[in-house]
Amino acid sequence: MDKRIVARHFRQKLLSLLQGSKTTASRFAQDIGVDRSALSQLLSNEAARLPRADTLLLIARHFNVSTDWLLGLSPDHPVENAPPIGLEIAESDAYYDIPLLTRWHAAATGTKIRYVPHRLPDILRTPAIVQYELRDNGNGAIPKADDIARSLDFNRRAGTDMEVCLSLQALDALANGTFPWDGLPPGARHEQLRHMARMVDDLYPSFRLFLFDEWALHSLPYTIFGTQRVAIYGGTLYVVLKEPEAIARMQRHFDSLIRHARIQPPDAAAFLRDRADRATQDEPMATPHQAASALARDARHD
């Protein structure tokens, strides 16, 4: 069938879904995984435009229709077999499951990855931070921190756009040496802040850091891999969501974190440098809890 005819059928079906959804065009575009300008192009009479295969599948699943109906290849409005719930549990005993994360990142190359980290963003960690977090992994073998830090460069694949939302309280804990960083020397903590500032500067604008106030908003650590999956970090496992509606809801949660961020990406590097300078000048003395933790840790290693 001529592409122009198929595009016309698709445009008519998409318009009928939009009208039947009784929502705004912006919300409709968000639900089907495209931006408002892309939706306008798909609905335009002036171009024979068809969506990408993953977008077509997302539309079909979201509205519980067949792709054949969307493309005008079927005269009816058949309902596809109900898709699976789209929930998986991925076990991850290792602190950094590089093969698993690399596979997910590779599958999302060229799309937008949105990330709420556990403690600190992987891509911004120094080897000293990695080594510190691996010190009590319990398996008797401590991988080389430098190797892990280099492996985490999978986040920087060409063509990948990344947004990270990190809480201001996570940075305060690092700067002040409170849990979980109460056993890390001040020099390593301050260098981590400076390293983050340099990286944020170097990678902007393809990497954008937003800093939000955890007193106002709360979030579990998770990563949105384009329109394919959301991986919620649970320590020794990942809860993986693949259902389009679940992914769309997590996208809206991330949008809320961005809207309420206290520090926006253009100011993030300067904020981190300033936080490092103030931490260096005003390094607090160890609290009783910190001192007790250090003694207990030393006793374990002895």
Side-chain angles (χ1 to χ4, degrees):
M1 185 181 294
D2 188 288
K3 178 183 177 181
R4 291 170 296 180
I5 298 175
V6 176
R8 185 174 71 248
H9 283 299
F10 172 76
R11 185 168 58 248
Q12 292 169 349
K13 300 298 174 51
L14 187 64
L15 183 60
S16 71
L17 293 174
L18 172 59
Q19 293 170 341
S21 68
K22 298 180 181 179
T23 188
T24 64
S26 295
R27 177 61 182 273
F28 183 85
Q30 189 177 51
D31 286 342
I32 66 173
V34 301
D35 57 33
R36 179 62 188 276
S37 62
L39 176 62
S40 298
Q41 292 173 10
L42 290 173
L43 293 173
S44 173
N45 291 318
E46 299 177 0
R49 175 102 179 195
L50 287 170
R52 298 189 325 182
D54 58 336
T55 301
L56 183 68
L57 185 59
L58 188 65
I59 297 170
R61 286 182 174 176
H62 184 79
F63 292 100
N64 205 26
V65 299
S66 72
T67 53
D68 282 353
W69 179 81
L70 284 170
L71 298 175
L73 303 177
S74 170
D76 302 319
H77 190 301
V79 176
E80 291 187 327
N81 293 330
I85 191 171
L87 175 66
E88 294 180 4
I89 303 295
E91 298 288 341
S92 178
D93 292 332
Y95 180 76
Y96 289 112
D97 195 333
I98 300 300
L100 176 65
L101 295 175
T102 302
R103 187 167 67 249
W104 288 342
H105 276 271
T109 297
T111 66
K112 180 182 289 187
I113 293 175
R114 313 181 88 181
Y115 176 35
V116 181
H118 172 61
R119 297 179 181 168
L120 296 175
D122 293 341
I123 189 175
L124 302 184
R125 281 173 161 91
T126 63
I129 289 288
V130 174
Q131 187 69 57
Y132 175 75
E133 293 190 302
L134 287 171
R135 70 198 185 285
D136 288 326
N137 63 359
N139 63 11
I142 300 179
K144 292 182 179 179
D146 289 341
D147 293 341
I148 290 180
R150 282 194 296 271
S151 297
L152 293 174
D153 277 351
F154 58 69
N155 286 318
R156 300 169 63 180
R157 288 178 176 271
T160 300
D161 191 57
M162 177 175 281
E163 294 178 336
V164 175
C165 282
L166 177 67
S167 77
L168 290 164
Q169 285 74 17
L171 290 179
D172 285 342
L174 178 67
N176 297 329
T178 56
F179 180 83
W181 311 112
D182 44 335
L184 191 64
R189 291 189 282 102
H190 302 161
E191 174 54 27
Q192 172 63 47
L193 288 168
R194 295 189 187 94
H195 175 75
M196 291 173 71
R198 291 192 296 269
M199 292 286 286
V200 168
D201 248 344
D202 290 345
L203 299 177
Y204 182 82
S206 62
F207 178 94
R208 297 180 296 284
L209 178 65
F210 300 82
L211 301 175
F212 68 93
D213 185 355
E214 204 167 358
W215 283 109
L217 296 167
H218 175 68
S219 179
L220 293 168
Y222 64 85
T223 305
I224 304 174
F225 296 92
T227 59
Q228 300 174 4
R229 61 176 55 84
V230 176
I232 302 172
Y233 180 66
T236 59
L237 55 81
Y238 289 93
V239 178
V240 184
L241 308 177
K242 294 184 177 181
E243 185 65 24
E245 178 59 26
I247 295 173
R249 289 190 179 189
M250 296 302 289
Q251 294 280 15
R252 291 194 286 273
H253 179 270
F254 199 93
D255 287 339
S256 179
L257 294 177
I258 285 180
R259 282 196 301 272
H260 294 91
R262 296 291 181 86
I263 306 297
Q264 295 293 318
D267 304 316
F271 179 86
L272 289 165
R273 281 192 292 269
D274 178 70
R275 194 69 187 87
D277 290 343
R278 288 192 290 114
T280 302
Q281 296 168 6
D282 305 321
E283 178 64 31
M285 295 183 65
T287 65
H289 172 72
Q290 290 171 324
S293 297
L295 288 172
R297 186 168 47 254
D298 291 341
R300 284 200 307 273
H301 290 299
D302 288 340

